[in-house]
Amino acid sequence: MNDVLPEAGDAWDFLEGTVLRCLRQYGYRPIRMPLVERTDLFVRSIGEVTDIVEKEMYTFTDRLNGDSLTLRPEGTASCVRAVLEHNLLYAGPQRLYYLGPMFRHERPQKGRYRQFHQIGVEALGFTGPDIDAEVIVMCARMWRALGISDVALQINTLGDPDARARYRARLVAYLQRNLEALDEDSRRRLTTNPLRVLDSKNPAMQPLIEAAPKLIDDLDEPSLQHFEQVQGALRGANVSFEINPRLVRGLDYYNRTVFEWVTTKLGAQATVCAGGRYDGLVAQLGGKPAPACGFALGVERLLALLETEQTPVPSRVPDVYLVHQGEEAAAFAWIAAEQLREQELDVVMHCGGGSFKSQLRKADTSGARFAVVIGDDEAREKKVSLKPLREAAAQVLLDLREAAALVKRARP
Ligand code: HAM
């Protein structure tokens, strides 16, 4: 679990601001859910035999009433719970987004943390393949807006639950025939969640996985058609993709379209964004059946990627740093600072006194383009001296309005 220090904060703000701007362009609206839910919610939605539920949840007992509670490991379950609890689908389909910390007790490494942040999107109540395509196209727009190019889209379809059951039986038979080639993890998964064997990163397992039966051969016709239409829409929108028949995702609620955006730049933690359809979850959690689709992006991973791409992140420096000396000057400084802020300037006022010289040193390190200098003379005239800090130009005496206008004109 990490602290985010001010130095990194600008990049966080840039990423969140850019992504939220995109979400609003597509009509997504904010929802905020609590960080803690009943454990049962996650067990029922993510699935009992998934890594998350089996070994990664921060679960504790409420001391007052003995309830089992869990820090949310992801947002989809909570979001669907909130939508049902407040009957939001009564008003029609919903396009929602949330952002915030998620908690998984994983082995920490670069790009994998125990508290990490997601921006998640859930579109509920839409049946057709157009919404699958919309969320994917929206991701592509986000990457462009962020200046990220090293991400590739992988898609797959998991079909309907019957197709998956047929495939599961075929896969289990295949894996059992090859039992001696399975590693320990895969043997365990064989009886609990055999599709996850395909997810194994163990190089020794790869030939076996390559040769495994493919889900696509068991798919139901409507799912195949849906998948074709999603692909058609992506081509129409000029979003390139690769079909990865082994993409199965680590959470049980998915059906039909699943997708991941992966990068080659971050080593093992290559997936920066992932999601898909989950048409059964609303009913499974007690609601009237409603289709749904969504994704979540990993903020820390995207930030790491931004760093490798050397995308210039706009860093926030104040427009002016205000220095002052003298009693009358101190009183006027407050007024001047507030009036400059009224004119939309970002103003850092020097606090704590000191000589002009030392105050101007602070002004310099603040990154501000100008210092606003106020001595008793300026205070009496209700004016300020504007001193350019980034070029060798002379200091000029101006009233506040003129000073604000000049600073704004000088913005890059
Ligand atoms: P997920 O694949 O578990 O899906 O997580 C989504 C993204 O969160 C991952 O692709 C990754 O970028 C990031 N992430 C996951 N675990 C960690 C970690 N320990 N440290 C850093 N980043 C991490 C979900 O959570 C689904 N709720 C997505 C979804 C929404 N599906 C439909 N709607």
Side-chain angles (χ1 to χ4, degrees), residues 109-127:
Q109 51 185 275
K110 192 172 159 27
R112 194 203 268 170
Y113 309 104
R114 292 182 172 172
Q115 174 177 322
F116 61 97
H117 294 73
Q118 286 185 345
I119 302 182
V121 163
E122 314 294 351
L124 299 118
F126 300 93
T127 314

Side-chain angles (χ1 to χ4, degrees), residues 175-191:
L175 294 173
Q176 267 164 349
R177 282 199 304 278
N178 293 280
L179 206 55
E180 70 293 345
L182 296 184
D183 62 14
E184 198 191 313
D185 225 20
S186 300
R187 277 184 202 192
R188 198 173 50 80
R189 283 176 173 165
L190 176 60
T191 47

Side-chain angles (χ1 to χ4, degrees), residues 74 76 104 106 111 113 118 122 249 253-254 271 294-295:
E74 58 107 46
T76 307
R104 296 183 194 176
E106 297 193 78
Y113 309 104
Q118 286 185 345
E122 314 294 351
R249 307 281 297 125
Y253 47 62
Y254 293 108
T271 306
F295 67 82

